[in-house]
Structure formats: structure tokens, C-alpha cells
Amino acid sequence: MATIPMPAPNQNILDRRTKIISSLLSVLPLDVVIYDVSETLAYDCDALSAYRCSPLAVVLPRTTEEVSAALKVCHELGVPVVARGAGTSLAGGSLPTADSVVLGTSRLNRTLEIDLENRFIAVQSGVTNLSVTGAVEGDGFFYAPDPSSQLACAIAGNIAMNSGGAHCLKYGVTTNNLLGVTLVLADGEIIKLGGAHMDSSGYDLL
Ligand SMILES: Cc1cc2nc3c(=O)[nH]c(=O)nc-3n(C[C@H](O)[C@H](O)[C@H](O)COP(=O)(O)OP(=O)(O)OC[C@H]3O[C@@H](n4cnc5c(N)ncnc54)[C@H](O)[C@@H]3O)c2cc1C
């Protein structure tokens, strides 16, 4: 049973719900923005299901540019954003508040590049952990970090939580297998960290 109260939502944000949703709809395709309460209910918790709270809205972008557009709107309107992979966090990491917008990665589910010679694969952030192995196992490869939730959990969540499993005793956790990311900052700016090789130029921020 939940014993810690959820944070009180910001009434000023709740009062601007219509404006926030219309602003998101003005920069994103209609089917990317979910705001009907019967649909946002599906995002009211993660695997810490003792705590539940429907968000103000949910956006499910298909491209980095759509992620950027959504974050830019939320930043300008002062709306909190809760990123969500597959929602298997056991610690409430993707648990929304009533005044927040959930940014879900479930439609960012494409494999972008496979380079077997260099042991490199680029995927969008909503690809599930097991799908990464699925994309290369026919060629005798596998993606080593293997949380028990690997059938469901997304690479985005794995990176945020630095997840691992039994294989990590030999191959390291997520950070030891991650070469680079395309990152969208809270204000919508798109940046790249690392790259397709070890020891890319710039600071090692991964
Ligand atoms: C049955 C079960 C078994 C598990 N076994 C393991 C295990 O063996 N090892 C292990 O390490 N964990 C395990 N976990 C925990 C969980 O699966 C991992 O933490 C996993 O990496 C979470 O991935 P997710 O896609 O579900 O992320 P979510 O739960 O959706 O999110 C997790 C965190 O990542 C953040 N996040 C998600 N996407 C993004 C993004 N695009 N940008 C920025 N932040 C983002 C969220 O805001 C949240 O804080 C288990 C969970 C369950 C339910």
C-alpha cells in the first residue's frame, strides 16, 4: 500500500490544460498527442503500481524532431515532462504527476543501422532490449546487458537506469556497452554524445 503522498499538482498548470494541449497539437500530428482521460489512464503508473496518477497528457513521438517539438512546448509553458520507456521501473521512475506530460518512446521502435564488423548497432530509444539481440542473433551476436525485464523494457529506460543482468558479470552494464546517444535536452535542443566508435572526441558524458 502507498504510504508516501504524491506531490500536489501545480494548479496553475492544471488551469492551462486546454492551452497546453492545443500548443502540443499545433506542432505535433494529431495521433501523437493523447489527452482523453480514458486513454491517459494507461500511463498512470510503472511497475511500482502502488502509486498511480494520470498525467495531464501523453505524447508518443515517432522521430527525434517530434521529441524536440514536444519538449520545446513544455519548456516554454513550464510543464514538467516525465520520460517513459516501457514503464517497468520498480522505483516509480516513470510515474507521472497530474500536472505533467508523459513523453513515451513506444513508437520510437526502429533499428537504424547494423554494423557487424564494428560490433555496432544504432536503434531508436523505444526498441526493447531483447529486440536488439533479435536484430543480430541470426549472425551470431547478442546484446549483453540483460535485465530480467528484457522482453518488455526499452533501451531508453536501460540507459536511464544503467540496467544489467547476469551477462553483466562478464560484459558490464549498459554504460559499458553504450557508444553514443542522440539526446534531446529539456528545452528541445538536439545534441549528440559519443558516436559509433570507442573514444569519440569530446567529453565522456555517458
Ligand atoms: C519483472 C522485472 C524484472 C526486472 N529485472 C531487472 C534486472 O534484472 N536488472 C535491472 O537493472 N532492472 C530490472 N528491472 C527494472 C527495469 O526493468 C529496468 O530499470 C529497465 O531498464 C527500465 O526500462 P523501461 O524501458 O521500462 O523504463 P521506464 O520504467 O519506462 O523508465 C525508467 C526510467 O528511465 C527514464 N527514461 C525512460 N525513457 C527515457 C528517455 N527516453 N529519456 C530519458 N529518460 C528516460 C524514466 O523517466 C524513468 O526514470 C526489472 C523490472 C521488472 C518489472
Side-chain angles (χ1 to χ4, degrees), residues 25 28-34 58-62 66 70 102 107:
L25 286 168
L28 294 166
L30 189 59
D31 69 338
V32 168
V33 186
I34 294 171
V58 179
V59 292
L60 299 177
R62 293 186 176 86
E66 288 181 359
V102 166
R107 286 178 178 155

Side-chain angles (χ1 to χ4, degrees), residues 7-23:
N10 183 329
Q11 190 59 44
N12 176 271
I13 295 175
L14 297 182
D15 290 344
R16 290 184 288 128
R17 181 175 185 274
T18 307
K19 158 84 177 153
I20 293 162
I21 291 167
S22 64
S23 298

Side-chain angles (χ1 to χ4, degrees), residues 63-151:
T63 64
T64 306
E65 289 68 31
E66 288 181 359
V67 174
S68 169
L71 286 175
K72 198 168 177 203
V73 166
C74 291
H75 182 71
E76 283 169 4
L77 297 177
V79 181
V81 174
V82 178
R84 183 183 178 96
T88 67
S89 166
L90 295 160
S94 47
L95 171 67
T97 50
D99 55 6
S100 67
V101 168
V102 166
L103 197 154
T105 58
S106 57
R107 286 178 178 155
L108 291 160
N109 57 6
R110 287 184 294 122
T111 297
L112 304 174
E113 184 185 347
I114 297 176
D115 178 355
L116 295 176
E117 200 174 336
N118 289 304
R119 311 296 197 258
F120 170 77
I121 184 168
V123 298
Q124 286 187 306
S125 59
V127 166
T128 62
N129 176 297
L130 200 58
S131 298
V132 180
T133 289
V136 292
E137 65 185 349
D139 294 296
F141 291 89
F142 65 95
Y143 177 63
D146 55 344
S148 309
S149 54
Q150 65 181 160
L151 182 64

Side-chain angles (χ1 to χ4, degrees), residues 176-190:
N176 305 113
N177 292 271
L178 184 67
L179 292 171
V181 295
T182 299
L183 195 71
V184 187
L185 301 182
D187 64 359
E189 184 185 356
I190 300 170

